[in-house]
């Protein structure tokens, strides 16, 4: 098997970390990087036990799991340039060494794919973990158009070619792992899932995941999709209302579409889909979408107004709501779906 690095972020770990490191060394892994993310003195003995058997890097203060992962990924790139990739694992014993090895084996095959060690979320899993994963999995599928059974797993195999790009992905804490999943689309990384054992030690009490604060960080990253559309809808609605006061529905609709679409294109390209391909082809496709959906919206609003007597503003809100998911899906899969274009961003 090709060399694969193992990266483990650790904050106040117990003896489980030392046990995992020993098992991985015994299995032949000699490229291990552990990041002490500002742990207190209670874990001093644990780190002393593993020093000499792996590379231990330290943060002076706790900077968060995302930052610790980036520190480890960067170290792996620098110290092991011949590695096929990096497997990230948690320090609390929830990832069995044999499962880490299986993810490494899949990664060493050389595919352009993010390998996820996916758990089975049955009744043995703590309720907060089951509920959180179901909601995030559903949202991820809806908004990104990809399926991941375990969106919160920390056991992941990252191809070496993708590591530099993922080092640029924003996020310092638990939201970083969700951002990595979101980035797979733009990087043209497939998602491969390997079933692993579901291990929760003492009801998962050792986890440093804050159910409220860290979930808010993760969900905020997902909800930026909706925020862009909401801001665009507000601009569109205001312009439509202003122009409607002095002209007909068609003029108001076209004017509102032009103004709002310019803002929407910029937000979706830069903030939502993080597309980095050529602007002109994407803009042409985007304007085609605007024209088609604008035509559908115009006739739909007119029919509702004339056939049912519905207020024109209410009719617009209804039609735009129905077109929202269709518009998002087209933008996600056909307009902003490509990875970075070698020719650069210029049109």
């Amino acid at each position: 098997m090709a060399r694969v690095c193992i990266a483990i972020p650790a904050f106040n770990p117990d003896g489980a970390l030392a046990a995992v490191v020993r098992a991985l060394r015994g299995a032949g892994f000699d490229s291990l990087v552990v990041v002490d993310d500002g742990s207190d003195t209670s874990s001093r003995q644990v780190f002393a036990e593993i020093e000499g058997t792996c590379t231990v890097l330290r943060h002076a203060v706790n900077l968060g799991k995302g930052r610790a992962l980036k520190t480890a990924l960067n170290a792996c790139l620098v110290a092991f340039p011949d590695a096929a990739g990096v497997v990230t694992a948690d320090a609390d014993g929830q990832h069995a060494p044999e499962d880490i090895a299986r993810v490494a084996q899949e990664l060493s095959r050389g595919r352009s794919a993010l390998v996820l060690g996916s758990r089975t979320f049955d009744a043995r899993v703590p309720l907060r973990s089951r509920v959180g994963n179901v909601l995030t999995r559903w949202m991820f599928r809806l908004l990104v158009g990809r399926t991941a059974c375990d969106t919160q797993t920390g056991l992941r195999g990252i191809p070496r070619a993708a590591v530099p790009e993922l080092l640029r992905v924003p996020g310092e804490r638990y939201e970083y792992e969700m951002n990595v999943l979101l980035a797979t689309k733009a990087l043209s990384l497939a998602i491969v899932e390997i079933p692993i054992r579901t291990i929760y030690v003492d009801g998962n009490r050792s986890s440093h995941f804050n159910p409220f604060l860290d979930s808010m960080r993760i969900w905020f990253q997902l909800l930026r999709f909706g925020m862009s559309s909401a801001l665009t809808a507000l601009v569109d609605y205001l312009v439509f209302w202003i122009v409607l006061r002095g002209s007909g529905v068609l003029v108001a609709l076209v004017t509102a579409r032009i103004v709002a679409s310019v803002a929407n294109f910029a937000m979706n390209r830069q903030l939502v889909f993080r597309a980095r391909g050529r602007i002109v082809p994407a803009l042409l496709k985007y304007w085609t979408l605007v024209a088609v959906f604008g035509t559908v919206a115009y006739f739909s609003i007119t029919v509702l107004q004339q056939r049912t007597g519905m207020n024109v503003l209410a009719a617009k809100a209804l039609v735009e709501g129905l077109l929202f998911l269709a518009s998002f899906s087209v933008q996600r899969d056909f307009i902003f779906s490509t990875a970075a274009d070698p020719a650069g961003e210029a049109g």
Side-chain angles (χ1 to χ4, degrees):
M1 183 177 74
R3 179 195 291 269
V4 172
C5 300
I6 309 295
I8 304 177
F11 177 57
N12 294 337
D14 57 21
L17 172 60
V20 169
V21 169
R22 285 195 302 270
L24 291 173
R25 290 288 299 179
F29 291 96
D30 59 359
S31 308
L32 281 78
V33 175
V34 175
V35 176
D36 172 6
D37 187 27
S39 301
D40 59 34
T41 57
S42 65
S43 299
R44 185 176 299 166
Q45 181 58 40
V46 175
F47 289 111
E49 186 175 344
I50 64 175
E51 283 186 304
T53 64
C54 65
T55 300
V56 178
L57 305 176
R58 287 186 167 85
H59 290 166
V61 295
N62 178 250
L63 297 177
K65 187 177 183 182
R67 174 51 54 187
L69 283 169
K70 291 177 184 179
T71 296
L73 291 174
N74 183 73
C76 289
L77 279 184
V78 173
F80 309 106
D82 61 333
V86 182
V87 171
T88 66
D90 291 345
D92 55 7
Q94 291 192 33
H95 299 143
E98 56 268 27
D99 286 331
I100 297 174
R102 290 175 61 229
V103 170
Q105 180 68 45
E106 179 65 27
L107 180 64
S108 69
R109 294 175 58 189
R111 299 176 57 184
S112 180
L114 179 70
V115 184
L116 301 181
S118 296
R119 299 160 293 179
T120 300
F121 285 82
D122 54 24
R124 295 171 297 175
V125 176
L127 181 61
R128 70 172 184 174
S129 298
R130 292 205 310 273
V131 172
N133 189 74
V134 168
L135 291 176
T136 308
R137 180 176 61 197
W138 177 83
M139 200 67 158
F140 180 73
R141 175 68 182 88
L142 174 66
L143 299 179
V144 183
R146 291 186 164 194
T147 300
C149 294
D150 187 357
T151 58
Q152 297 173 345
T153 180
L155 180 53
R156 303 175 173 192
I158 305 171
R160 190 190 188 286
V163 174
E165 293 295 336
L166 294 182
L167 283 172
R168 299 186 179 97
V169 170
E172 299 296 296
R173 298 188 179 276
Y174 284 95
E175 77 275 12
Y176 175 71
E177 292 179 305
M178 177 56 68
N179 290 347
V180 167
L181 286 180
L182 296 175
T184 58
K185 185 86 175 212
L187 296 177
S188 296
L189 277 178
I191 294 178
V192 175
E193 298 191 81
I194 302 294
I196 65 172
R197 292 171 55 192
T198 303
I199 303 173
Y200 281 100
V201 180
D202 194 21
N204 203 27
R205 292 180 182 176
S206 64
S207 173
H208 301 288
F209 184 87
N210 184 297
F212 177 74
L213 294 179
D214 292 308
S215 292
M216 286 298 293
R217 292 189 181 99
I218 291 171
W219 280 90
F220 179 77
Q221 298 301 319
L222 291 174
L223 289 176
R224 69 170 183 246
F225 293 118
M227 291 171 63
S228 169
S229 297
L231 288 173
T232 302
L234 178 61
V235 172
D236 185 80
Y237 204 81
L238 288 175
V239 174
F240 179 82
W241 176 72
I242 293 171
V243 177
L244 182 65
R245 299 171 66 183
S247 61
V249 172
L250 179 58
V251 174
L253 187 64
V254 170
T255 304
R257 273 285 186 272
I258 292 174
V259 174
S261 64
V262 171
N264 186 248
F265 178 83
M267 286 189 293
N268 286 353
R269 184 175 185 274
Q270 296 294 331
L271 304 177
V272 176
F273 299 102
R274 302 182 186 278
R276 290 169 294 167
R278 294 186 175 185
I279 294 177
V280 171
L283 187 58
L284 291 176
K285 289 188 287 185
Y286 180 81
W287 277 105
T288 301
L289 173 69
V290 170
V292 171
F293 275 45
T295 302
V296 172
Y298 170 70
F299 284 108
S300 299
I301 292 171
T302 301
V303 168
L304 286 173
Q305 186 184 20
Q306 294 178 351
R307 299 282 181 87
T308 69
M310 182 180 292
N311 176 275
V312 64
L313 295 179
K316 176 176 170 58
L318 175 62
V319 170
E320 296 293 353
L322 294 175
L323 289 176
F324 169 76
L325 288 180
S327 176
F328 179 87
S329 297
V330 173
Q331 291 185 57
R332 179 194 66 203
D333 294 332
F334 298 105
I335 297 177
F336 300 110
S337 62
T338 56
D341 193 304
E345 294 190 10

